[in-house]
Amino acid sequence: MLEVRDVVKRFGGLVALNRVSLTVKQNELLGLIGPNGSGKTTLFNVITGYYRPEEGKVIYKGDDITGLRPHLIVKKGIARTFQIPKPFGRLTVLENVMSAAMYGRKAASRSEAREIAMEWLDYVRLGEKADVEAKALNIVERKLMELARALSTGPDLLLLDELVAGLNPSEMMDVVKLVRRLVDERGLTIIMVEHVMKAVMSISDRVFVLHRGSKLAEGSPHEVARDPKVIEAYLGEPIQV
Amino acid sequence: MEVKLGGKLVLAAVLLILGAIFPLFADEFMVSILMQAYLWAFLALSWDVIGGYGGQFSLGHAAFLALGAYTSTILLQSYNVSPWIGMWAAGLVAGAAGALVGIASLRLRGPFFALGTIAFAELVKLLLLYFKGITGGPLGILITKSGPENMLFETQTPYYYLMFVLVIAGILFLKWFESSKFGIGLVAVREDEEAAEGVGINVYRVKVIGAAISAFLTGIGGTIYAQWIHFIRPDILVKLEYSTQIAAIDVVGGAGTPYGGLIGALILVPLSLYLNALFGGMIAGLSIILYGVVLLVVVVLVPGGIYGLIRRKLLRRKPQMGGK
């Protein structure tokens, strides 16, 4: 479904992504992990058009989408959340999510958009906050709103950037289950960047490890967790599965 | 909820009736002052589209006012086109210029955009002076026609009603605009450009169209202004003072709200007319200083403007009312 081919992204002298190749299959949940600064968010930014790579290609459903502007990537059916949530603070939660339905892939009318938005807000259990200004939400709610907003664009492929970071363990497991359900019940394909190992390892079909801008390992959560290179990269930190 | 809505409707109806019967009781002078407040309110509401909802602080809106005024006046004087029709052409010409400013806003952020719009207004003034054959150069154009069919009236009262209708139309437009697809998109871009792109909004397009709509409305205001003063000249229209006044009125009243422009104009316009009458021409640039000071005070003490202040007070009182 998505193929990232030999992507190179430099910032001045720093090579943030060094010949990274990655494929994602339809209806798969891919966990993308790696230490801080390993290039995970950069890779997201390349896929979603925020960065144009110096080399390499991004192919989505057979189309070359490399360097396409972000709003056009959304129209192709790829949506994302941001590591630090970016709510439209002075719009209500409902308007935030409606904007995605109206400007996203389907270009829904206002009334359709309202329905789509309410449906996804209820899905992430934020329905009762619909009329609140987004800036009044706490961090957990902001993350959930961003998830609902991304979903309202009508994506086939969803990129989640540290969705559960900052949540307490029980909130985290709730959100993780919700993400898994999106794949199992709604047929979405998801790449999720996550620092919390327990979260990634428990729900991913496959895990891809980035380290200093290159691929370090790839495989099932079990394989990756036992890979000596991965353990070393995390400074011997034992990975819990 | 229903009580609140009912209350709002009653308030709106009372204000409408008061506004409509005002000329029956007030003298020509008072009518003229309130009429000017409406005119500036409409200009501030027009500015609000890009300045308030779009978050792009333009200090060049006098240029759109002038472009609108010149367009319809040239059509009237040289081609005998009634301003009732010419005002739409005025809007289109100003709107096209607004789109250019919108394109500039893609590159220039914050204070640099504001400076860019000041430069743009100066450029428009120079062009109006330069093309003497069409614009009359520094001498400007005197409107010599007459009659209601040419939007020209003998007394202030018809102008009062004209601008009364204009400002109501402006408020209704913003009411509709702020919950429209485009309005939500524009605010989304103001709040966070990256996130806006991330939901599929074409940020460039929204900014350019937003600026064009704002300039279109200001251009229509320009026609009405010209019809009222009967006389246009580059240096009396394209003034930084006017650009500042438009922005200040909106910010003081409450930017990014349908009512901010009117509230700001009802306070600032009579105040500035009064002060100017008091000091005459003795202190040059007095109103610029006035607007500067008022703007600073409001931005520091009451962000959200007077309308924002009133709204916050009402919202704070609401839980107590519910408890009783």
Side-chain angles (χ1 to χ4, degrees):
Chain A
M1 183 175 203
L2 178 80
E3 186 187 355
V4 176
R5 211 182 280 162
D6 294 324
V7 159
V8 176
K9 177 66 204 173
R10 298 189 198 92
F11 295 105
L14 179 86
V15 185
L17 292 174
N18 190 6
R19 304 214 152 283
V20 173
S21 295
L22 164 154
T23 55
V24 187
K25 283 171 284 194
Q26 179 102 32
N27 202 218
E28 181 180 39
L29 204 171
L30 178 74
L32 179 57
I33 65 170
N36 279 327
S38 56
K40 304 180 297 285
T41 299
T42 306
L43 183 59
F44 268 20
N45 282 334
V46 166
I47 295 171
T48 51
Y50 286 87
Y51 294 155
R52 177 186 281 275
E54 272 77 38
E55 289 171 41
K57 280 189 187 322
V58 181
I59 313 285
Y60 177 70
K61 291 182 176 171
D63 293 341
D64 184 351
I65 60 163
T66 321
L68 219 55
R69 299 235 318 270
H71 73 273
L72 296 174
I73 303 261
V74 173
K75 304 270 197 297
K76 294 265 179 192
I78 303 179
R80 69 172 295 178
T81 66
F82 294 90
Q83 192 173 353
I84 298 160
K86 290 172 169 291
F88 306 131
R90 298 267 302 275
L91 290 177
T92 65
V93 170
L94 181 64
E95 286 170 333
N96 263 267
V97 182
M98 275 174 71
S99 73
M102 291 189 292
Y103 282 96
R105 201 171 170 196
K106 289 173 217 159
S109 71
R110 266 186 57 83
S111 56
E112 287 167 344
R114 174 178 284 270
E115 272 175 42
I116 295 169
M118 274 319 295
E119 188 195 325
W120 285 119
L121 278 174
D122 287 336
Y123 192 84
V124 302
R125 280 170 246 138
L126 214 54
E128 59 193 50
K129 296 272 180 180
D131 294 324
V132 171
E133 269 196 356
K135 67 177 177 188
L137 297 183
N138 65 34
I139 184 74
V140 181
E141 292 164 341
R142 282 175 190 218
K143 291 197 167 213
L144 291 173
M145 187 195 79
E146 265 214 0
L147 178 60
R149 198 170 67 183
L151 287 165
S152 287
T153 65
D156 291 331
L157 174 64
L158 183 61
L159 278 59
L160 304 174
D161 199 349
E162 299 206 12
L163 189 65
V164 306
L167 309 194
N168 72 37
S170 83
E171 290 164 345
M172 190 179 86
M173 287 325 287
D174 281 352
V175 174
V176 155
K177 278 182 208 148
L178 200 133
V179 169
R180 185 68 236 181
R181 268 171 38 218
L182 285 169
V183 176
D184 295 340
E185 295 169 11
R186 305 282 178 137
L188 265 79
T189 308
I190 292 178
I191 311 179
M192 93 191 260
V193 161
E194 215 47 79
H195 262 302
V196 187
M197 282 305 147
K198 202 176 160 198
V200 195
M201 292 302 187
S202 62
I203 61 163
S204 298
D205 295 316
R206 197 156 58 90
V207 176
F208 187 100
V209 190
L210 267 178
H211 184 47
R212 293 185 184 158
S214 307
K215 177 169 114 176
L216 186 70
E218 189 182 1
S220 73
H222 240 79
E223 289 163 9
V224 166
R226 270 179 284 168
D227 192 321
K229 283 181 298 188
V230 176
I231 295 169
E232 195 192 339
Y234 278 88
L235 289 170
E237 228 178 289
I239 295 174
Q240 298 159 351
V241 179
Chain B
M1 184 76 183
E2 271 175 21
V3 174
K4 214 178 131 204
L5 185 68
K8 269 187 186 171
L9 283 176
V10 169
L11 181 66
V14 168
L15 288 176
L16 271 177
I17 292 169
L18 279 180
I21 61 172
F22 181 79
L24 303 180
F25 301 99
D27 59 20
E28 185 105 350
F29 177 69
M30 294 299 290
V31 168
S32 169
I33 287 179
L34 198 53
M35 177 211 67
Q36 290 179 64
Y38 293 155
L39 174 71
W40 286 100
F42 178 76
L43 296 175
L45 293 169
S46 309
W47 181 89
D48 202 27
V49 172
I50 194 65
Y53 292 101
Q56 306 283 323
F57 203 95
S58 162
L59 282 177
H61 264 54
F64 305 129
L65 179 79
L67 286 170
Y70 268 91
T71 304
S72 60
T73 305
I74 291 167
L75 285 174
L76 173 64
Q77 287 299 117
S78 306
Y79 303 94
N80 225 354
V81 177
S82 162
W84 295 110
I85 297 162
M87 62 191 255
W88 303 105
L92 290 177
V93 169
L100 290 179
V101 169
I103 290 168
S105 78
L106 304 175
R107 295 251 158 202
L108 302 171
R109 306 273 155 137
F112 299 101
F113 175 73
L115 287 174
T117 55
I118 293 175
F120 170 79
E122 285 305 308
L123 180 69
V124 167
K125 180 154 77 176
L126 289 175
L127 290 174
L128 290 175
L129 288 168
Y130 182 79
F131 290 103
K132 287 193 190 75
I134 315 167
T135 65
L139 298 176
I141 308 172
L142 184 67
I143 294 178
T144 54
K145 312 267 173 180
S146 62
E149 70 278 11
N150 287 326
M151 208 190 277
L152 292 160
F153 307 100
E154 300 290 321
T155 62
Q156 295 291 306
T157 308
Y159 287 110
Y160 175 92
Y161 285 111
L162 179 62
M163 294 182 194
F164 187 56
V165 169
L166 192 68
V167 80
I168 291 167
I171 289 171
L172 291 177
F173 171 76
L174 284 189
K175 286 281 288 175
W176 167 81
F177 178 82
E178 69 176 0
S179 61
S180 70
K181 174 179 172 178
F182 186 81
I184 290 175
L186 187 63
V187 175
V189 169
R190 176 190 78 193
E191 294 292 304
D192 196 308
E193 277 189 29
E194 282 191 356
E197 286 184 291
V199 298
I201 296 173
N202 185 342
V203 171
Y204 297 176
R205 204 181 126 153
V206 163
K207 279 187 171 181
V208 171
I209 295 178
I213 293 173
S214 178
F216 175 89
L217 295 171
T218 310
I220 289 180
T223 297
I224 313 274
Y225 184 75
Q227 293 304 115
W228 172 60
I229 58 170
H230 296 188
F231 175 54
I232 56 173
R233 216 171 62 194
D235 60 317
I236 58 168
L237 278 177
V238 194
K239 287 196 288 198
L240 180 58
E241 189 188 330
Y242 278 7
S243 295
T244 318
Q245 183 165 340
I246 293 171
I249 286 170
D250 197 52
V251 172
V252 167
T257 69
Y259 312 105
L262 181 59
I263 295 172
L266 287 176
I267 295 167
L268 284 183
V269 171
L271 187 64
S272 101
L273 288 174
Y274 174 72
L275 286 178
N276 273 333
L278 204 61
F279 295 104
M282 286 190 299
I283 309 172
L286 178 70
S287 47
I288 290 201
I289 297 171
L290 166 75
Y291 285 119
V293 170
V294 172
L295 200 56
L296 262 176
V297 169
V298 167
V299 167
V300 173
L301 293 182
V302 269
I306 293 165
Y307 179 70
L309 190 73
I310 297 170
R311 232 184 106 200
R312 272 201 303 280
K313 287 254 190 264
L314 288 178
L315 286 178
R316 213 173 294 154
R317 236 176 46 203
K318 216 168 60 178
Q320 293 168 3
M321 276 158 52
K324 275 175 195 168

